[in-house]
Amino acid sequence: MVSSRARRRPVIPGFGLTLGYTMVYLSLLVLIPLSATFIRSFGSGWEHFWVVVTAPRVMASLRLSFGAALLAAAVNAAFGLVIAWVLVRYSFPFKRLLDAMVDLPFALPTAVAGIALTALYAPNGWLGRSLQPLGIRVAFTPLGVVVALIFISLPFVVRTLQPVLEELDKDVEQAAATLGASEWQTFVRVILPALWPALLTAFALAFARAVGEYGSVIFIAGNMPMKSEIAPLLIITKLEQYDYAGATAIAAVMLILSFTLMLSINALQSWTLTRNGGA
Amino acid sequence: MMESPTVLRDYNAPAARSLRERDPARGVRWGRFALIAVALTFMAAFLFLPLLVVFTQALAKGAGAYLAAVSDPMAWAAIKLTLMVAAIAVPMNLVFGVVSAWTITKFQFRGKSTLITLIDLPFAVSPVIAGLTYILIFGAHGWFGAYLQAHDIRIVFAVPGIVLATIFVTFPFVARELIPVMQAQGKDDEETALSLGANGWQVFWHVTLPNIRWGLLYGVLLCNARAMGEFGAVSVVSGHIRGLTNTMPLHVEILYNEYNYAAAFAVASLLALLALLTLAGKSFLEWRQPELRHGARLKRRNSEK
């Protein structure tokens, strides 16, 4: 029945043209350049690839990039949840302004974010000055890398959690409260279980954005080899030394990890939707 | 909104009170203040103060120094280049966004979800790697390096490379915003127009385009903000030639590395203003068309299923 009705409908034109254009544009600008990276990095042989990737300085930079991104994503998962919760559930003055400001890291160029965070967290900066006596040094240390990554990946957490929180069924919470559960019990036993898939997705998105970040990090990191040098910076350093094989090898490792991550995010997102009953 | 359970609880007050030994409503209120305070403190440390620092540092040496930094010929060259790059990259991705959204939302075909994933791919790639890929193809030691050198065509360390890198990092923006909008609208309007005798181009121009204009603007706005602010990818392919291949973010970096902080922040403040304008525009469009808000992306994935 459905198909007979569909047959009577006029056919929308342009399928071949638009699909063709999409494929050509995508291939020329994204797919072919990306495959060039893989072809070049494995072109000099597995052995060379392995030697480059396992060099101590490269390992240290990959550890920092992935470790700091994990930490930043974890911090954002916690505080992003609080921000999303407050924005969805409570009303207070200037709430709309705050809500709009969550997207600042999307809109502010990373280089600007980088110099601003450095000025703020440097030993003589507004916040760095008060952290210094506590023995906390942020700028020019690995902690600075984490701060920059927290900044750029915050909106991914808040914007992923907000719609899910908005659609949470409040009847269940009220039922829990009526049955004598405290606020905290309701949160841990009722809200959090419903939120897990979205929280994981938010964490993964924040991590994916943070791990490849360059602009905001290089100003605040201090960029000391083995200590506060991120992997994307090492790629640039190797490029400037005309070590193309080295640069592409690091790039290939990062690409493989990012693609794996992206596929798991896609799987997570469909899980989130089935968990939420396709609401 | 959290009050109603408390009210309910008060009906069997004696039992509840003796269990909890305090007014539950007060606990809720304090919890709420605490959470709002945590959220505001976190946002202040990571969002508001950085933004404020940009403007105070920019004006640290007075309005005269600010104007001098902003009207410096090198700064002007950077501003012009940034505008030019965005003027090429954004329309390119705008056309691609409309065309790919048309393909994805108006037709059924195998591999559609793979195609959507591939369009999103540039978001999963570090900007530095995006720049690197073009060096590997067009650089002196790249695939076409020898050919380009023989014909005296410069792509890398010149404006075309900057444009390519910018297109790469802003690739999915318009498509990503348009697909859910066009999906939600379905194809009934288009089919009606076709059955009334309109041709494909007329349908697009008079039916589809007016329907998607806010979504299109939204995508363009986000795409433009990223295009003008991109740093990592552009940094790799630019070669940092002052007055020639320096975009605004790269100019900020150079000034900063020369310890010329006031000037660096002055140019940065222009980019921060652009960011604030983008946020204002974004809020306006979300007010015009509430479906554009953050929920749209999750809902899009949903409707694909």
Side-chain angles (χ1 to χ4, degrees), chain B residues 126-137:
Chain B
S126 171
V128 167
I129 297 177
L132 170 75
T133 60
Y134 289 113
I135 301 261
L136 293 178
I137 293 180

Side-chain angles (χ1 to χ4, degrees), chain B residues 10-279:
Chain B
D10 273 358
Y11 282 108
N12 38 20
R17 279 279 156 77
S18 62
L19 268 174
R20 323 193 90 225
E21 290 181 323
R22 64 190 170 88
D23 179 10
R26 174 183 279 174
V28 172
R29 210 175 300 132
W30 277 111
R32 174 179 309 191
F33 282 138
L35 284 179
I36 293 177
V38 168
L40 287 180
T41 313
F42 192 82
M43 287 180 78
F46 289 98
L47 298 178
F48 302 125
L49 287 177
L51 188 63
L52 201 61
V53 156
V54 173
F55 292 104
T56 49
Q57 294 276 342
L59 294 165
K61 289 197 175 155
Y66 181 87
L67 289 177
V70 172
S71 54
D72 177 78
M74 288 302 148
W76 266 108
I79 292 170
K80 267 187 252 167
L81 180 60
T82 293
L83 291 176
M84 191 181 102
V85 168
I88 302 171
V90 175
M92 293 274 289
N93 282 339
L94 167 68
V95 171
F96 169 75
V98 173
V99 169
S100 62
W102 183 272
T103 275
I104 285 166
T105 58
K106 302 292 178 208
F107 306 102
Q108 290 302 326
F109 55 94
R110 281 177 62 184
K112 191 196 269 191
S113 62
T114 312
L115 181 61
I116 296 175
T117 308
L118 288 177
I119 291 173
D120 273 350
L121 205 58
F123 277 156
V125 174
S126 171
V128 167
I129 297 177
L132 170 75
T133 60
Y134 289 113
I135 301 261
L136 293 178
I137 293 180
F138 301 115
H141 303 280
W143 285 352
F144 302 119
Y147 174 86
L148 292 172
Q149 230 153 15
H151 292 79
D152 202 28
I153 303 169
R154 293 193 66 96
I155 291 184
V156 160
F157 307 134
V159 176
I162 298 175
V163 172
L164 283 173
T166 306
I167 290 177
F168 186 104
V169 291
T170 58
F171 193 84
F173 277 94
V174 180
R176 210 175 215 214
E177 298 304 333
L178 272 189
I179 291 169
V181 170
M182 286 173 70
Q183 206 131 44
Q185 273 158 357
K187 38 190 180 183
D188 293 349
D189 291 357
E190 281 83 1
E191 282 166 351
T192 312
L194 284 169
S195 63
L196 292 173
N199 67 33
W201 183 247
Q202 286 171 323
V203 169
F204 172 73
W205 200 251
H206 296 291
V207 178
T208 311
L209 204 57
N211 275 342
I212 62 172
R213 63 185 190 279
W214 298 116
L216 198 62
L217 259 176
Y218 196 77
V220 166
L221 190 75
L222 299 182
C223 183
N224 180 63
R226 182 71 195 266
M228 289 191 174
E230 178 50 29
F231 180 75
V234 168
S235 172
V236 174
V237 296
S238 130
H240 303 269
I241 307 161
R242 247 189 230 225
L244 283 179
T245 63
N246 251 359
T247 61
M248 281 172 83
L250 296 177
H251 190 60
V252 168
E253 183 200 20
I254 287 186
L255 292 171
Y256 189 85
N257 287 342
E258 286 170 347
Y259 303 103
N260 196 349
Y261 295 136
F265 278 102
V267 178
S269 74
L270 296 180
L271 288 166
L273 279 177
L274 171 76
L276 289 177
L277 279 176
T278 304
L279 289 186

Side-chain angles (χ1 to χ4, degrees), chain A residues 9-15 17-19 21-23 25-26 28-37 39-40 75-76 79 82-83 85-86 88-92 96 98-105 107-112 115-121 126-127 147 150-151 154 159-160 162-164 166-167 170 173-174 177-178 180-183 209 212-215 218-219 232 235-236 239 242 244 247-248 251 254-255 258-259 262-263 266 269-270 272-273 278-279, chain B residues 1-2 4-5 8-9 20 28 31-32 35-36 38-40 42-43 45-54 56-57 89 92-93 95-96 99-100 102-103 106-109 115 117-129 132-137 140-143 164 167-168 171 187-188 190-192 194-195 200 225-226 228-229 231-232 235-236 249 252-253 256-257 264-265 268 271-272 275-276 278-279 282-283 286-287 293-295 298-299 301-302 305:
Chain A
R9 289 183 166 192
V11 180
I12 292 180
F15 177 62
L17 182 71
T18 54
L19 184 66
Y21 182 83
T22 302
M23 291 311 296
Y25 190 79
L26 181 69
L28 283 181
L29 282 151
V30 177
L31 301 183
I32 294 172
L34 279 179
S35 51
T37 314
I39 294 169
R40 284 292 283 260
V75 170
N76 275 336
F79 286 94
V82 174
I83 294 172
W85 177 267
V86 163
V88 171
R89 289 298 173 97
Y90 305 151
S91 52
F92 50 92
R96 296 219 30 182
L98 286 177
D99 193 50
M101 281 294 288
V102 169
D103 283 325
L104 180 71
L108 194 69
T110 52
V112 178
I115 62 170
L117 288 169
T118 312
L120 193 60
Y121 287 94
W126 291 347
L127 289 178
V147 165
I150 288 175
F151 173 84
L154 177 67
R159 295 303 186 221
T160 307
Q162 254 175 329
V164 181
E166 271 164 16
E167 282 174 12
K170 279 198 197 118
E173 286 166 50
Q174 293 188 351
T178 322
S182 68
E183 284 290 312
R209 172 71 175 89
E213 174 56 15
Y214 172 75
I218 52 156
F219 295 100
I235 292 177
I236 288 191
L239 262 183
Y242 300 104
Y244 284 61
T248 46
M254 293 195 71
L255 281 178
S258 307
F259 292 165
M262 199 169 96
L263 292 177
N266 274 355
Q269 269 174 342
S270 48
T272 312
L273 290 163
Chain B
M1 357 182 162
M2 303 300 283
S4 44
L8 277 175
R9 218 178 284 148
R20 323 193 90 225
V28 172
R32 174 179 309 191
L35 284 179
I36 293 177
V38 168
L40 287 180
F42 192 82
M43 287 180 78
F46 289 98
L47 298 178
F48 302 125
L49 287 177
L51 188 63
L52 201 61
V53 156
V54 173
T56 49
Q57 294 276 342
M92 293 274 289
N93 282 339
V95 171
F96 169 75
V99 169
S100 62
W102 183 272
T103 275
K106 302 292 178 208
F107 306 102
Q108 290 302 326
F109 55 94
L115 181 61
T117 308
L118 288 177
I119 291 173
D120 273 350
L121 205 58
F123 277 156
V125 174
S126 171
V128 167
I129 297 177
L132 170 75
T133 60
Y134 289 113
I135 301 261
L136 293 178
I137 293 180
H141 303 280
W143 285 352
L164 283 173
I167 290 177
F168 186 104
F171 193 84
K187 38 190 180 183
D188 293 349
E190 281 83 1
E191 282 166 351
T192 312
L194 284 169
S195 63
R226 182 71 195 266
M228 289 191 174
F231 180 75
S235 172
V236 174
V252 168
E253 183 200 20
Y256 189 85
N257 287 342
F265 278 102
L271 288 166
L276 289 177
T278 304
L279 289 186
K282 188 170 174 292
S283 299
E286 283 168 359
W287 169 73
R293 282 194 78 222
H294 45 75
L298 276 174
K299 289 195 185 99
R301 306 260 178 192
N302 189 22
K305 294 284 166 319

Side-chain angles (χ1 to χ4, degrees), chain A residues 183-196:
Chain A
E183 284 290 312
W184 178 247
Q185 280 174 321
T186 311
F187 180 75
V188 173
R189 299 266 182 92
V190 179
I191 298 168
L192 212 51
L195 225 51
W196 265 123

